[in-house]
Each structure stands twice: as C-alpha cells, then as structure tokens.
C-alpha cells in the first residue's frame, strides 16, 4: 500500500486514463473494535464498483472484465493491519494502486477518465510530512515522519554506512562519537556524500528536513554540504543507530513548538485580514474563492467535515447520501487552494471560533 504522495506520484495519478478509471474510497480505522467493520465495508465498496461497471453501457465486456481483475488484485494487496483513517483503490485497464490515508474519506465509487485525487492531497496537507536525517560518523539514517510517528525510510540509498576500512571504531567513545572523529577527512567525505544523497531525495520528495546528531556531527554536516542551511538542526546523538521511537521523542518537542508558532501566526494573519477586508470564512465563500484562485492562506480545523450540495450559485447544506451531495467538499477546497499556490494550514479544532471550521486570507 502506498502512502507518500510525492509530486511525481500525484502527476502520475492525475494522468488521463482510458475510460473507466475507477476510484474506490472508504474510511478505515486504526484500532479495535472500530476496525472490525473495515474488511466488510471495503468488500462492499468494491462490489459497488463492479456493479457500476456492469451497468455502464459505455464499458465493453472485455474492458469490464479487465478492470474487475485489477480491482481484485488491488484487494489482494490491502493489508488492514496497517490501515490508517482512509483507503483509496484506483483501478484502470492494465493497472491498479492502493493508497492508505491519514485523514478520513467519504465512502464513494467514481468512474471517470482520471483518478480522484483530492482526498489524497488533503490528507497529505493535513499530515504535514517531514524528513529526519540522523547523522553519525559511520552511519546516516533517513526517517519519514508525520501524523505522530516516524518510520525508517529506505530511499535514495539510505541508510548509508561508511566502509569499514575507512572507519576506526576505536576512535569512538562509549557514549558516542569522539570529537576527533569529526576532524577526519574520511568523515567529511562520508557526510558530503550523505548531503548529496539527501539532496536528491528532497528534489523528488520535497518536505521539511530535521537533522539529528551530536554537536560535532551537525557542525561538520553544516560545513560539508548545502542542506543544513535550510534544515532544522536537533542536537541529539545516537539516533543513527537508534529506534524510531527514540527519534520521535527527540524531534517531537521541536515539532510541537513549531506547531504552536504556526497556529499563532495563522491567527494573527486572519485577524489582520479582517481589518483589511480580505478575510473569508465558511465553505460557500471559500469554495468560490478557491476556484477563482483568490485564496492566499487557507486555515482548516483538523476534523472539520461538512456535506454540501451545489444549486448552481451557492453551496447549501445536504445530507450524506443525497444524490447531489458533496461529502468531501472541504478536501476539494484544500486541493484547489494548493493548486493555485495558496498556503494551506490545518489547525486544532476550535481555533477558528466563529469562522465555522474554515477561513482564509484573500489575495484581492
């Protein structure tokens, strides 16, 4: 199952397909007892997709059988042991993909000539993914972070291990790297190589970067390459050989401080926008502003969801299950704002007060 929505992966998902490109979305659960229903709901959703295929007169018998086989192959790859808050299955002639999402999605089936991506985009924005690079004299390890955890990432050649013949472990102290180790030219070259490897990862998968290591390692890494200038340095040794939990505990205070500062900055910008009359709030107003590219900053409360319908001029409240209901209208607004270059921030529930869960600063 896929999780990391890189720009390249998103572009590939949005590529037009031969009709029908099938998108199956369903909410999932991380823990018992809620997750007991997930397997049944997923089977029902896939069955509904096959039913739509069978009832669509524009889908030939051979094409229907081919896409149905892809749906079955996708189902075989689903491992709900690692489920998050939502699941998306994409199937088209000759291909299928399974994505797990850290944000709940409405249950739906869509047949089109492209896959439905807005829920993936909104989940990625809400998760605020980041990289952690843990640096030592003999090893550099990469971690992928987001949604309250980090996991080791095997990408771009990481983890990098210094050749044994180029490293003398006796030069290390028992508690960590000896300062003299980081004056060694072999160490400098090793860290320059790590800097270059991480630069390639960031170009393909841009995210905020945090670098952990003992002070001498961070100082040398800063001078050895170009990445440290734009990264957050977290002085903490031992994590290149440590566990994911140890890395999370090291970076968590930094992330929490940054999150508090981000929420305060958003509140200040929204207050200033009220005074300048370029403030917008509510789903209807922001939906229109998003589609005209007017939103510069969008703030969304983390668990804000609302179902609306479009009467041709405005969005009006609707019930789940209505034929013309748009259950993921918030995700649609988020995706559209990101497409037009807006800064999208998810904030704790209740932060926006009378703005009813969603607010923005307009460009004009």
């Amino acid at each position: 199952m896929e999780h990391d929505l890189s720009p390249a992966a998103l572009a590939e998902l949005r590529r037009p397909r031969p009709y029908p490109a099938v998108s199956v979305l369903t909410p999932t659960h991380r823990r018992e007892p809620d997750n007991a229903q997930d397997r049944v709901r997923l089977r029902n959703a896939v069955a509904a997709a096959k039913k739509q295929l069978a009832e669509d007169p524009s889908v030939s018998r051979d094409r229907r059988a081919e896409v149905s086989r892809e749906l079955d192959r996708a189902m075989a790859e689903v491992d709900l042991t690692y489920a998050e808050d939502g699941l998306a299955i994409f199937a088209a002639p000759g291909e299928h993909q399974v994505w797990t999402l850290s944000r709940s999605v409405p249950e739906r089936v869509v047949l089109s000539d492209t896959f439905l991506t807005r829920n993936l985009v909104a989940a990625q924005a809400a998760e605020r993914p980041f990289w952690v690079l843990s640096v030592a004299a003999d090893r550099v390890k990469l971690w992928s972070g987001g949604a309250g955890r980090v996991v080791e990432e095997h990408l771009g050649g990481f983890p990098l291990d210094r050749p044994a013949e180029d490293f003398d472990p006796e030069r290390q102290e028992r508690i960590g790297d000896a300062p003299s180790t980081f004056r060694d030219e072999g160490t400098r070259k090793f860290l320059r190589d790590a800097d270059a490897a991480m630069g390639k990862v960031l170009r393909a998968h841009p995210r905020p970067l945090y670098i952990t290591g003992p002070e001498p390692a961070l100082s040398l890494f800063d001078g050895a390459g170009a990445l440290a200038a734009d990264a957050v340095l977290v002085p903490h040794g031992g994590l290149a050989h440590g566990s994911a939990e140890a890395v999370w505990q090291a970076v968590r205070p930094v992330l929490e401080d940054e999150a508090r500062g981000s929420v305060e900055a958003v509140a200040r910008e929204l207050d200033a926008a009220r005074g300048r009359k370029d403030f917008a709030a509510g789903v209807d107003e922001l939906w229109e502003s998003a589609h005209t590219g007017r939103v510069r900053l969008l703030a969304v409360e983390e668990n804000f969801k609302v179902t609306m319908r479009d009467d041709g001029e405005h969005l009006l409240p609707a019930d789940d299950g209505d034929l013309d209901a748009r259950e993921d209208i918030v995700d649609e607004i988020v995706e559209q704002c990101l497409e037009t270059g807006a800064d999208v921030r998810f904030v704790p529930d209740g932060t926006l007060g009378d703005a009813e869960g969603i607010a923005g600063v307009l460009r004009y």
Side-chain angles (χ1 to χ4, degrees):
M1 298 193 297
E2 303 289 341
H3 178 87
D4 181 23
L5 187 66
S6 68
L10 180 58
E12 170 61 21
L13 284 174
R14 287 175 168 169
R15 176 177 57 80
R17 263 79 178 174
Y19 186 86
V22 180
S23 302
V24 179
L25 281 80
T26 183
T28 54
H29 303 83
R30 298 172 187 254
R31 299 176 184 85
E32 297 178 342
D34 294 331
N35 61 5
Q37 62 183 298
D38 290 349
R39 177 63 62 180
V40 173
R41 292 185 70 169
L42 181 57
R43 279 202 303 266
N44 290 342
V46 171
K50 291 181 177 180
K51 185 173 185 291
Q52 284 194 33
L53 285 170
E55 295 175 348
D56 190 332
S58 64
V59 180
S60 69
R61 180 178 179 180
D62 289 346
R63 182 62 56 86
R64 179 171 67 248
E66 184 178 8
V67 176
S68 294
R69 284 194 297 270
E70 295 295 343
L71 286 169
D72 290 339
R73 290 175 182 133
M75 278 288 291
E77 294 178 9
V78 172
D79 186 351
L80 292 176
T81 305
Y82 301 100
E84 296 180 281
D85 301 306
L87 191 74
I89 289 178
F90 301 127
E95 64 172 323
H96 65 271
Q97 297 187 41
V98 180
W99 288 80
T100 178
L101 293 78
S102 59
R103 179 172 166 84
S104 184
V105 298
E107 191 168 279
R108 67 188 307 181
V109 174
V110 176
L111 274 62
S112 184
D113 58 358
T114 59
F115 294 136
L116 185 68
T117 61
R118 60 175 170 258
N119 305 102
L120 274 70
V121 171
Q124 184 88 346
E127 186 179 17
R128 297 184 292 272
F130 57 90
W131 296 118
V132 180
L133 197 66
S134 294
V135 177
D138 61 333
R139 165 169 272 218
V140 179
K141 190 181 286 189
L142 179 63
W143 311 85
S144 176
R149 88 284 184 248
V150 298
V151 294
E152 185 177 357
E153 184 69 56
H154 296 274
L155 184 70
F158 290 101
L160 296 180
D161 289 297
R162 188 171 172 182
E165 64 272 14
D166 188 39
F167 182 68
D168 182 3
E170 293 182 0
R171 295 180 63 181
Q172 288 186 306
E173 296 176 349
R174 188 175 302 174
I175 61 171
D177 295 311
S180 60
T181 303
F182 295 100
R183 291 195 292 268
D184 179 74
E185 182 54 35
T187 304
R188 293 177 183 274
K189 181 182 182 305
F190 176 63
L191 295 186
R192 281 196 298 269
D193 292 342
D195 181 275
M198 189 64 214
K200 293 179 181 178
V201 171
L202 286 171
R203 285 191 289 275
H205 306 270
R207 299 182 185 180
L209 174 64
Y210 300 81
I211 304 175
T212 74
E215 290 278 9
L218 295 180
S219 177
L220 180 55
F221 196 83
D222 189 9
L227 296 182
D230 296 320
V232 177
L233 304 185
V234 182
H236 194 299
L239 298 181
H241 296 274
S243 66
E245 179 61 22
V247 174
W248 170 244
Q249 293 303 327
V251 300
R252 182 178 180 178
V254 178
L255 295 169
E256 290 176 346
D257 285 345
E258 289 183 345
R260 282 191 293 270
S262 177
V263 170
E264 292 169 0
V266 168
R268 288 193 298 269
E269 286 213 48
L270 292 173
D271 285 342
R274 288 178 187 268
R276 296 190 306 264
K277 308 301 184 184
D278 54 6
F279 173 84
V283 172
D284 184 37
E285 185 176 1
L286 280 164
W287 180 75
E288 180 181 358
S289 297
H291 281 271
T292 55
R294 295 180 60 206
V295 181
R296 179 175 65 80
L297 168 68
L298 180 72
V300 185
E301 292 185 354
E302 289 169 347
N303 294 300
F304 177 59
K305 292 284 186 180
V306 64
T307 301
M308 308 292 283
R309 63 180 179 84
D310 183 4
D311 72 350
E313 295 184 2
H314 296 283
L315 294 179
L316 302 174
D319 294 324
D320 293 342
D322 287 355
L323 291 178
D324 55 353
R326 303 169 84 131
E327 298 175 48
D328 55 355
I329 192 67
V330 175
D331 287 0
E332 183 176 337
I333 292 171
V334 168
E335 183 187 46
Q336 189 62 38
C337 286
L338 288 169
E339 284 293 296
T340 55
D343 183 10
V344 176
R345 309 281 189 92
F346 283 82
V347 298
D349 294 346
T351 299
L352 301 179
D354 60 1
E356 300 181 352
I358 188 167
V361 179
L362 303 181
R363 292 189 170 102
Y364 56 90

